[in-house]
Amino acid sequence: MDYDKLAELLFPNITKTPEDYEALYPERSLPEGAMVTRMAPSPTGFIHLGNLYGALADERLAHTTGGACFLRIEDTDDKREVEGAVPVLLDTLSYFGITFDEGKTKDGEIGAYGPYTQSQRAEIYQTMVKHLVRQGKAYPCFMTEEEIEEIRKAQAEAKLDPGIYGAYAKHRDLSYEEIEKRIQNGEEYVIRFRSEGDPARYFHAVDAIRGDISMPENVQDVVILKKIGLPTYHFAHVVDDHLMRTTHVVRGEEWMASVPIHVQLFDAMGWERPIFCHNTVLMKIDEETNQKRKLSKRKDPELSLEYYKKLGYFPEAVREYLMTILNSDYEEWRLANPEADYRDFDFSASKMSSSGTLFDLSKLNDVSKDVLAKKSAAQILEFMLSWAEEYHRDIFDLFSANKEKLLKIFDIDRGGEKPRKDLIFAEQIFGFMKYFFDEYFEYQDEWPAEVSAQDRKEILTRYLQGYDPADDNSAWFEKVRAITADLGYAVKPKDYKKNPEQYKGHVGHVSTVIRRAVTGKTNSPDLWTVQQIMGIDMVRSRVEKAMEQ
């Protein structure tokens, strides 16, 4: 076979060589040890937690080492592409604080190693495929889908590995004349890689997370160029990662099975292999089976990043939690450096887990509480406004008209050595404080069982008679204590606990009646402060309304 002649037959319009592209995309000028990573999603429209998990690892590995991280859009599979998916992807990653040095942006592309959209790189791939054909390492395959399906059935019946290899690679050794004739007859074809692999031979590769990996060689004659002239994922990413000078390929462990193919393609092209970083899939404890399982798009709404945006999680909180599960010693570092920027942490692939990573929503909420405890009232207000503007226009209008009041609300118990840690996400925060607004006020909790209906009314009547917003906290509470004693309740809870038969209840039960009347809840921040923010008219109105119950 004259492979040069075959290459010209298959690619008459390709005039460039691999060397031309090597010159166009030279080695990067970076410090020694700097990593070049990439996020390379398909534009399917569904942006999930795993995408963010991987993107954060990409970004941290690159920037911790003084390297570069770029965004590449892998859109060669037009059947999976969803219109408008790329802008959604870019907006979502930006929302969670992921920044790239190069690649696709909403305004085009930046960087010297583009195009960063695979569908715009067809000539590059075809040049590399032509090179393989010229070397006798690739060939045209004219098999129809029906023929391939028959092969699959035969392999399944014989319990053989599926695929095109060995005797099933029927067009591997077609003559030049037959190939030429088929093309002249208008037969469609793909280009397959001619594998010389032997399943009895093993190769070794480096994985920065899992260490040295050894696997049997690939024997499949995989498709590297489709009928439409665009490459398959396997070949496209090999070409792009080489020419874009990617040093570390971070991807999910589900791609481990493809390593033999990818290693073989890198070697066939004569290119240095990148270092693989196969991270783990995100898992959770199934509520029904109490067993670990992979997060599911169908079963688990928390897999979607839109879930966190809609509920109003601070992006910083989600990112902070992901850091704790990405690197094993991050949590310990954070305890020792509570005020430090997360980017100061020495992120490493070797500290990433090689077994199933457990995603725990409760733990995320705990991390979120810690993050929000450090935020100022102004920062929380700013975030709540942006969240409400996108997801709750009715609340946004209310917030916009009451900014000063909201600053006071968000500032309750915010300072001091032990700031409040009960705020998690915007939806929950609004649920906590909506009693400050008559439009959203409701009785959420029942009256304390220790207080009779008659006593409730008496407590509220006396409270209303004595309430004075000019009282400081101490004077206010003395009045509550006086009502407590007059009605036969213990002023000190410990007295009631010691001699419960002597009292109807204690001061906590009495103050809970007042709290429930004013806020509709039996738990709230400091009640004196709450009432100062509400104003006397609202307090009186609430107590009078409660007395009617």
Short mmCIF file of all heavy atoms in Angstrom, two decimals, residues 50 72 244 320 334 336 404 416 517:
data_model
loop_
_atom_site.label_atom_id
_atom_site.label_comp_id
_atom_site.label_asym_id
_atom_site.label_seq_id
_atom_site.Cartn_x
_atom_site.Cartn_y
_atom_site.Cartn_z
N GLY A 50 -20.62 18.12 39.63
CA GLY A 50 -19.40 17.47 39.20
C GLY A 50 -18.57 18.35 38.29
O GLY A 50 -17.33 18.34 38.33
N ARG A 72 -12.20 24.87 27.19
CA ARG A 72 -12.37 24.40 25.83
C ARG A 72 -13.77 23.79 25.70
O ARG A 72 -14.19 23.01 26.55
CB ARG A 72 -11.30 23.35 25.51
CG ARG A 72 -11.35 22.82 24.08
CD ARG A 72 -10.17 21.91 23.79
NE ARG A 72 -10.27 20.62 24.44
CZ ARG A 72 -9.25 20.01 25.05
NH1 ARG A 72 -8.07 20.60 25.14
NH2 ARG A 72 -9.42 18.82 25.60
N MET A 244 -2.46 22.41 22.78
CA MET A 244 -2.69 23.46 23.77
C MET A 244 -1.74 23.32 24.96
O MET A 244 -1.82 24.08 25.90
CB MET A 244 -4.15 23.42 24.23
CG MET A 244 -5.14 23.78 23.13
SD MET A 244 -6.88 23.67 23.66
CE MET A 244 -7.71 24.12 22.14
N GLU A 320 -16.13 26.69 49.10
CA GLU A 320 -15.40 26.33 50.32
C GLU A 320 -15.65 24.86 50.69
O GLU A 320 -14.73 24.13 51.06
CB GLU A 320 -15.84 27.24 51.47
CG GLU A 320 -15.11 27.03 52.78
CD GLU A 320 -13.72 27.63 52.80
OE1 GLU A 320 -13.33 28.31 51.82
OE2 GLU A 320 -13.00 27.41 53.79
N ARG A 334 -7.98 25.20 57.13
CA ARG A 334 -8.95 26.28 57.34
C ARG A 334 -9.11 26.60 58.83
O ARG A 334 -9.21 27.77 59.21
CB ARG A 334 -10.28 25.90 56.71
CG ARG A 334 -11.42 26.87 57.00
CD ARG A 334 -11.08 28.29 56.60
NE ARG A 334 -11.11 28.52 55.17
CZ ARG A 334 -10.52 29.55 54.58
NH1 ARG A 334 -9.83 30.43 55.30
NH2 ARG A 334 -10.57 29.71 53.27
N ALA A 336 -6.85 26.36 61.05
CA ALA A 336 -5.65 27.08 61.46
C ALA A 336 -5.54 28.45 60.81
O ALA A 336 -4.80 29.32 61.30
CB ALA A 336 -4.41 26.26 61.13
N GLU A 404 -32.52 49.98 54.79
CA GLU A 404 -32.00 50.34 56.11
C GLU A 404 -32.51 49.37 57.18
O GLU A 404 -31.77 48.97 58.08
CB GLU A 404 -32.42 51.78 56.46
CG GLU A 404 -31.71 52.84 55.64
CD GLU A 404 -30.19 52.77 55.80
OE1 GLU A 404 -29.71 52.59 56.94
OE2 GLU A 404 -29.49 52.85 54.77
N GLY A 416 -19.00 40.42 67.75
CA GLY A 416 -18.57 39.71 68.95
C GLY A 416 -17.76 38.47 68.65
O GLY A 416 -17.53 38.10 67.49
N ALA A 517 -46.06 35.75 70.00
CA ALA A 517 -47.03 36.79 69.64
C ALA A 517 -46.42 37.81 68.67
O ALA A 517 -47.06 38.22 67.70
CB ALA A 517 -47.52 37.50 70.90
#
